[in-house]
Each structure stands twice: as C-alpha cells, then as structure tokens.
Amino acid sequence: MTENRRQMTDKAGTVKTESPINKSVNGMNASDIILEVRDLRVRYGHIEAVQGISFEVRTGEIVALVGANGAGKSSTLRAISGVLPFSGEILFEGQPIHRLGSAAIVARGIAQVPEGRGIFGNLTVQENLKLATWNRRDRRAVKDDLRHVFDLFPRLAERRQQLGGTLSGGEQQMLAIARALMTRAKLLLLDEPSMGLAPMLVREIFRILQDINQAGTSLLLVEQNALMALKVASHGYVLETGHIVMHGTGRELADHPRVKEAYLG
Amino acid sequence: MAYLFQQILNALQLGSIYALIALGYTMVYGIMTMINFAHGDIFMVGAFLCFVAATVLGLPFIPALLLSMTGCALLGVVIERLAYKPLRNAPRVSAVITALGVGLVLEHLTLVFSPYPRHVPALWSSATWHVGGVTLSSLQALIIVLSVLLMVLLDWLVRRTMLGLAIRAISWDRTVAAIMGVPVDAVISLTFAIGAALGGAAGFLYALAYPVIDPYMGVIVGWKAFIAAVVGGIGNVRGAMLGGFILGAVEIMVAAFLPSTYRDLIAFALLFTLLILKPYGLLGQPRPQKV
Ligand SMILES: Nc1ncnc2c1ncn2[C@@H]1O[C@H](COP(=O)(O)OP(=O)(O)OP(=O)(O)O)[C@@H](O)[C@H]1O
Ligand SMILES: [Mg+2]
C-alpha cells in the first residue's frame, strides 16, 4: 500500500489538489474509491431525468449531491440501489454492480435512507430494524447492532414496540437512519435526511451522520439543505436538470457565488 | 340441543375449509393488492390431485395431502410468474381479467382430463363416535384439527418469522422493501406458493368430506371464500380465518333452521349487512396515512 502510494505520487510528479475526479490525487489509487458512477442515465418514458452523470465517493468520505427540485438526485440514488432501470456503469469497491438485483446490492454493502423515509407503517420499530438484516447471517452481531442503534437513538429504544406509522416525522427519520445502519453498510445513500425537521433536530441528525462517518462508513448525502450538507462533505457535486454542473470540495462549493445564489438563498 | 351441537360441528368443518381458501385470497391481496380470481380453481385442482392420489397413485393419507399441497404450490408459482408478474405495474383491472382467464384455463384443462364428475374414494377409514346424540366422525375431527393447525402455523409464520416480516413489509411498500435488501420477487412467489398450498389442502379436505368433485366446483366455493376474506378484512390473515368460520356458520345455521332454498340468499344478505356496518371487514383497517 505504501509502496503503491509512493509510486503513484512519483509518477504524477506533483500532487494535484483541486480535481476530485483525478484518481492520483493525494496518491490515492482506485481501491480507495468505494463508489464510482460513470455516465449514468435514467429515463422515465421519454423524459431523461438523469442525463449522463459521473461522480465518485472515496472510502471514508462524505460526498454531497445537491440540486434543485427535480434535478435527478433521488433518481440517481434509486438507480444505485438497483430499483430503477438505467444505463451507464456503477462500480462498488471496483466491482460492477449494475447487473445485480437490489437485494444483492444491499448484501454488498450499500444501504439507502430513502426519500420520505420509507418507514413500514405496519411494522413496529424493532421489526423495521430487523427487516433490514434480511441479508445477514450473523444473528449475534445483529443483536449487538440493535443495541448500538438504540444507544445512538434512545428515542427509538423507548418506542421499540410502537408501529412505525405512529412515529413523529423526526422519529421516523431516526428510524430510517438506524435501519440503514442495521444492514452494516459500507456506504450509506441518504436522500434528504433533514427534510421536514426542526433546525435543532437537523443539527442532531447531522451530528449523528458525522459520527457514523467517523466510525468508518462512507456517505453519499443528497440534500436540499445545501449549505449544511456541503459544510460536512469533503466533496460535493451540483446537479441541475440531470447534469452535473459543478464539483469541488465541500468548502469550495459552499463559498461559490453561483451555488450561494442558487441554493443557499 | 344435540341438533345444535351437530350443526356447530358441521359449521366448523365447512368453515375451516372456507378459512383455508380465504387465506389464499387475503395473502395475495395483502402482498400485491390484487385479487387472484384463479384461486378457487387452484382449490379445485387440489381436490383433483386428491382424486389422482387416491385412485391412480393409491397413496396413503399424508403423502396424498402433501401431493395436493405441493402440486398447488407449484401451480401457484407458475401462474404468478407467467401470468401476473408481467402485469405487476399494469392497471389492476388487467391483472383481474388475467386471473379470471387463468381460472378458465384451469377449469378447461381439468375438463379435458375429467369430463364427468368424479367420486373420490375414502382415503381414511373413518370411525364415528356418538356422544349424547351428536355424531362426530374422525374425518370431521381431522379436517377441523388439520385446518386449525395449518392456520396456527401460517399465523406464526406471518407474525414471527423473517419471511413474514418481509411479506408484511412488501405489502406496505415494495420498493422500499427492495431497497432494504428483501428479494421481493422471491418473497412474492413464496407467498403465492403458500396461499396456493393452503388452497390445495382445502381442496383435498373438501374432496374427502364431500367426495363428488367436478371441474367447476371451485367457482362457487371460490367466490364464497373470497367473500369470507372480504368480510374478515381482506389482507388480514386472522380476518380471513374469522370470515371463513363465520361464513361456514351462517350457511350451516341458515340451512339448519330456515328453508334451505334460501340458504345462499340469506347467508349473503347477512354478510353484506356486516360489510355495510364494517366496510373494511371485521379485522381490516383503513391503511394508516403514510407520513
Ligand atoms: N416515476 C416517475 N415517473 C416519471 N417521472 C419521474 C418519476 N420519478 C421522477 N420523475 C421525474 O424525474 C425528474 C427527477 O426526479 P427526482 O425525484 O430524481 O428529482 P430530485 O432531484 O430528487 O428532486 P427533489 O429534490 O424534489 O426530491 C423529475 O422531473 C421528476 O418529475
Ligand atoms: Mg428527491
């Protein structure tokens, strides 16, 4: 690993800093990229909602995908999770996953917190969490993880026998994140985790997301709340009507006049 | 008094068969919001498999029952894969029409094999007991016990196992279930298999209890069981059981105490009144709002 890193730095000569697409940045090699999306296109009938986008998430990183309503953010995440037909390539840990079904994709280590939370209203909190372990055989570790997410979200612990449909919006969002964690994913796709939450709860959710990331999970974060997302992200992409129009570090984008004008009010 | 007890036993026997069939409707409806109108004919196939097992194959009771159940389970999966899966995102009415068509196909295929009604020989050397003027045959006891056993098993499966969890999750939101890693297609097929196996068991028991069978026997019984599922609250497993037993009881009691020509008329008038009072069925609930 160290050898490899040195070699690549030598070959590149100088280390480039600004382009996150350049694979030799900071001597990173391809295996440091957990998710790579190449020329992704999603169509609904004759409308092309995602028109050939490419981006990547490096291992251990938080990447923000921001953009206005209808830009194609959710479509992108649904395509990655394998529940939407698309063209293009998606590589996870260097392996193509675009021919796998959604269940196999989860088994590989990609989980999603879907738009609108997607809580099963007819299942209890505990059942919602258990369902996400469908692909796991390590029953004992599942018990540990259950304890772990209840530590992370004490409000869920108090309500473990309550039906998902009767939780408040904030509690549902916590459950959606906890549920994704139960899959033991290496990469979490989060579709607007702050939607409809009070500012204080938004901050709490973001703090928890950063903790999850610190513990080693990579995050691809879709947000309307662009400033907040870009602040915690190491890299960001701006999506407009199915195209990526800008990318850079989170800070660069957050400070960019055009982003400020369009998304930060 | 003895007469009443006798009728209660008869009602339990008929009701348990309706309940088994109603479960198939309710499970498929629960997971797909689709009414599998071919289900009555799957029940009929179960009865004919019993006939084949008893005559051509000469099987004893348990293997014959398993033949009816697995045969119907396979049939259910094949029907789902060939006829319903391609229509999953089509308008509901297309699936309903297709289901009616599949039912007709099953009836006519059976008609080729058996143009006349058949008599099913006894698979079970039934003993009868007389207790204070009430007659209980061991066959009757077996039908009731076996049905209840299957229902308890199913209830456990739906409430307590990972598969049951997946079934309930898919019935709420199929896409999110897929996103959470549930192999949705496999679970839907399994649900069809289980529903059809219960229908097959019902056909088997029915053929033993009322041993003259014909290819159209599933039509009326199927409709009745469907109504039982609706009365219980379609989509609800315990509701289907309850609805089945209620329908059995109403039919038997009406025939026992009122002029039997009015049996179906009075029975269904009662059931429809129940539905007016409880539009979602006895145990059905309007789906809570998705937040
Ligand atoms: N099932 C569908 N059928 C037809 N068009 C769709 C469908 N889903 C999404 N679209 C269209 O595709 C485009 C992208 O939608 P998408 O949900 O990906 O946007 P988004 O960036 O997530 O927006 P938002 O921020 O509002 O959630 C929109 O124009 C939308 O109308
Ligand atoms: Mg969206």
Side-chain angles (χ1 to χ4, degrees):
Chain A
M1 188 65 196
T2 349
E3 274 303 306
N4 193 11
R5 185 166 294 183
R6 181 136 41 86
Q7 265 178 6
M8 291 196 62
T9 321
D10 285 349
K11 222 193 293 174
T14 52
V15 178
K16 295 187 179 171
T17 45
E18 71 287 2
S19 166
I21 292 291
N22 188 328
K23 285 182 190 130
S24 59
V25 176
N26 302 331
M28 292 260 181
N29 64 33
S31 69
D32 292 321
I33 294 171
I34 190 163
L35 180 78
E36 184 170 1
V37 173
R38 287 191 200 139
D39 196 30
L40 177 77
R41 289 166 190 276
V42 175
R43 309 186 63 92
Y44 298 102
H46 54 273
I47 304 165
E48 197 168 48
V50 178
Q51 308 180 2
I53 64 169
S54 301
F55 64 94
E56 63 190 36
V57 179
R58 290 198 219 135
T59 307
E61 190 180 44
I62 299 180
V63 169
L65 188 59
V66 299
N69 292 115
K73 307 179 297 292
S74 300
S75 303
T76 302
L77 296 195
R78 284 199 286 267
I80 297 171
S81 280
V83 291
L84 201 58
F86 61 90
S87 71
E89 275 185 278
I90 300 177
L91 297 137
F92 182 66
E93 298 183 311
Q95 302 290 316
I97 56 165
H98 42 275
R99 293 281 159 264
L100 300 179
S102 50
I105 289 171
V106 175
R108 287 279 175 99
I110 302 181
Q112 185 175 156
V113 176
E115 184 167 44
R117 304 161 190 135
I119 294 307
F120 299 109
N122 57 339
L123 304 186
T124 65
V125 167
Q126 182 140 339
E127 286 174 330
N128 266 281
L129 294 171
K130 241 178 94 185
L131 182 84
T133 65
W134 177 277
N135 281 297
R136 294 178 55 178
R137 293 291 163 262
D138 46 344
R139 291 289 139 205
R140 195 167 307 153
V142 165
K143 277 205 177 125
D144 292 343
D145 288 358
L146 209 55
R147 214 168 305 127
H148 171 69
V149 298
F150 281 143
D151 284 347
L152 207 55
F153 300 102
R155 284 167 74 170
L156 295 181
E158 297 159 20
R159 293 172 168 75
R160 62 178 81 195
Q161 298 306 334
Q162 194 172 323
L163 282 182
T166 62
L167 296 177
S168 79
E171 289 157 1
Q172 288 197 348
Q173 192 64 62
M174 292 176 192
L175 179 55
I177 294 171
R179 189 174 61 170
L181 290 178
M182 290 303 294
T183 64
R184 282 232 172 153
K186 298 171 192 160
L187 172 68
L188 281 194
L189 314 174
L190 298 130
D191 200 341
E192 306 202 24
S194 73
M195 190 168 57
L197 303 186
M200 221 174 76
L201 202 51
V202 173
R203 276 195 297 277
E204 189 181 338
I205 295 273
F206 268 78
R207 184 183 52 72
I208 289 168
L209 289 180
Q210 281 177 290
D211 287 349
I212 290 168
N213 174 248
Q214 286 297 310
T217 309
S218 313
L219 307 183
L220 176 57
L221 178 58
V222 161
E223 265 297 343
Q224 291 279 331
N225 203 332
L227 182 60
M228 196 97 176
L230 290 170
K231 262 189 184 162
V232 301
S234 43
H235 287 99
Y237 294 82
V238 179
L239 199 58
E240 249 171 43
T241 55
H243 296 280
I244 286 176
V245 292
M246 272 192 270
H247 70 263
T249 63
R251 174 143 300 282
E252 277 167 4
L253 290 179
D255 291 341
H256 197 286
R258 198 169 144 201
V259 177
K260 272 189 167 155
E261 187 191 352
Y263 305 109
L264 309 176
Chain B
M1 201 60 195
Y3 183 64
L4 180 66
F5 273 118
Q6 189 67 60
Q7 297 311 324
I8 289 178
L9 272 180
N10 294 341
L12 280 175
Q13 169 177 320
L14 187 62
S16 56
I17 288 171
Y18 283 144
L20 283 181
I21 308 171
L23 282 169
Y25 284 105
T26 229
M27 289 187 73
V28 166
Y29 183 86
I31 203 162
M32 303 265 295
T33 22
M34 177 211 149
I35 294 161
N36 179 14
F37 279 121
H39 189 61
D41 298 296
I42 292 177
F43 156 81
M44 175 275 292
V45 170
F48 270 88
L49 285 175
C50 173
F51 171 74
V52 171
T55 55
V56 184
L57 304 176
L59 294 178
F61 185 87
I62 299 278
L65 172 66
L66 291 179
L67 177 75
S68 279
M69 289 181 73
T70 47
C72 286
L74 284 177
L75 183 63
V77 171
V78 170
I79 292 173
E80 191 265 327
R81 282 287 148 122
L82 293 185
Y84 303 154
K85 192 169 173 230
L87 296 174
R88 232 179 250 174
N89 298 313
R92 290 293 97 196
V93 68
S94 316
V96 168
I97 304 278
T98 307
L100 288 168
V102 169
L104 284 174
V105 169
L106 291 180
E107 285 160 26
H108 287 91
L109 285 180
T110 314
L111 207 56
V112 169
F113 155 82
S114 168
Y116 318 105
R118 301 279 187 166
H119 184 267
V120 183
L123 266 177
W124 177 266
S125 52
S126 195
T128 44
W129 300 293
H130 301 274
V131 185
V134 181
T135 309
L136 171 68
S137 74
S138 58
L139 178 66
Q140 197 165 36
L142 186 82
I143 289 173
I144 296 168
V145 169
L146 206 62
S147 307
V148 170
L149 208 72
L150 285 173
M151 287 181 234
V152 169
L153 202 69
L154 180 77
D155 193 68
W156 169 82
L157 183 122
V158 170
R159 272 164 206 272
R160 293 269 171 260
T161 66
M162 260 332 241
L163 178 65
L165 209 54
I167 290 174
R168 285 182 285 147
I170 292 172
S171 76
W172 185 266
D173 190 326
R174 195 186 302 160
T175 308
V176 177
I179 285 176
M180 298 324 300
V182 175
V184 172
D185 288 346
V187 173
I188 288 179
S189 286
L190 256 173
T191 306
F192 266 85
I194 294 168
L198 293 174
F204 176 89
L205 296 175
Y206 189 91
L208 295 182
Y210 314 98
V212 177
I213 63 174
D214 72 85
Y216 296 113
M217 64 185 274
V219 179
I220 288 292
V221 176
W223 277 107
K224 288 182 174 174
F226 166 62
I227 291 166
V230 173
V231 165
I234 193 147
N236 184 300
V237 165
R238 288 185 179 176
M241 302 178 195
L242 184 63
F245 282 112
I246 289 178
L247 178 61
V250 170
E251 274 199 358
I252 295 284
M253 294 308 166
V254 169
F257 297 104
L258 297 168
S260 67
T261 28
Y262 297 130
R263 187 187 69 178
D264 285 358
L265 181 68
I266 295 173
F268 287 106
L270 269 173
L271 294 179
F272 291 137
T273 312
L274 239 164
L275 272 182
I276 291 168
L277 297 176
K278 298 214 70 170
Y280 292 95
L282 291 169
L283 301 185
Q285 274 157 5
R287 182 193 167 108
Q289 198 109 44
K290 270 208 242 183
V291 187

